[in-house]
């Protein structure tokens, strides 16, 4: 597996190239940002009034809330390092990976 979260440490030249074409958006409550699985993405420091908040797990400041959805094919299976709650080679099923299309499964919804 590739560890792109450590890109700067692993390859400073690749990190510099990616950063040179990066974009950052001033999102407001209710805004949505969508990308596909081939898009490199990472968290930027959260700033308010020029002051960085919530870095290094410092929650003494206002929290930044987010909700992440990832859609995968129904036949997708885990591979090494994919999920701590599933063993390798198993399908994504259950309350943490619910089916949403063409309709939700009652058995998965009842697990909550």
């Amino acid at each position: 597996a590739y560890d792109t979260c450590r890109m700067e440490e692993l390859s400073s030249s690749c990190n510099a190239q990616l950063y040179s074409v990066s974009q950052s958006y001033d999102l407001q409550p209710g805004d949505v940002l969508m990308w596909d699985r081939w898009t490199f993405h990472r968290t930027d420091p959260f700033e308010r009034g020029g002051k960085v908040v919530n870095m290094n797990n410092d929650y003494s400041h206002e929290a930044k809330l987010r909700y992440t959805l990832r859609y995968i094919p129904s036949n997708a299976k885990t591979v090494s390092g994919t999920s701590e709650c599933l063993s390798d080679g198993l399908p994504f099923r259950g309350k943490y990976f619910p089916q949403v299309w063409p309709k939700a499964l009652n058995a998965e919804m009842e697990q909550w």
Side-chain angles (χ1 to χ4, degrees):
Y2 300 102
D3 189 355
T4 55
C5 294
R6 296 177 43 227
M7 182 69 75
E8 186 172 15
E9 176 187 337
L10 298 172
S11 176
S12 60
S13 62
C14 286
N15 185 68
Q17 184 177 5
L18 286 172
Y19 189 75
S20 72
V21 297
S22 69
Q23 296 184 29
S24 186
Y25 302 93
D26 183 19
L27 300 176
Q28 301 301 314
D31 289 348
V32 175
L33 182 62
M34 297 179 70
W35 57 81
D36 68 18
R37 67 183 182 152
W38 302 113
T39 304
F40 281 99
H41 56 279
R42 68 175 187 183
T43 301
D44 280 339
F46 181 53
E47 295 183 11
R48 172 143 306 155
K51 186 176 180 181
V52 175
V53 294
N54 277 349
M55 296 305 291
N56 300 319
N57 295 322
D58 177 12
Y59 292 99
S60 62
H61 301 283
E62 183 178 341
K64 178 173 73 169
L65 304 175
R66 68 180 71 105
Y67 186 74
T68 303
L69 294 174
R70 295 181 181 189
Y71 293 99
I72 58 175
S74 62
N75 63 350
K77 295 185 189 243
T78 61
V79 294
S80 180
T82 302
S83 173
E84 294 178 9
C85 60
L86 290 176
S87 299
D88 289 351
L90 293 179
F92 290 90
R93 298 284 187 272
K95 70 179 185 179
Y96 296 113
F97 307 100
Q99 176 176 306
V100 295
W101 188 85
K103 67 178 189 165
L105 301 176
N106 288 335
E108 291 178 343
M109 300 305 290
E110 290 170 0
Q111 292 176 2
W112 286 102

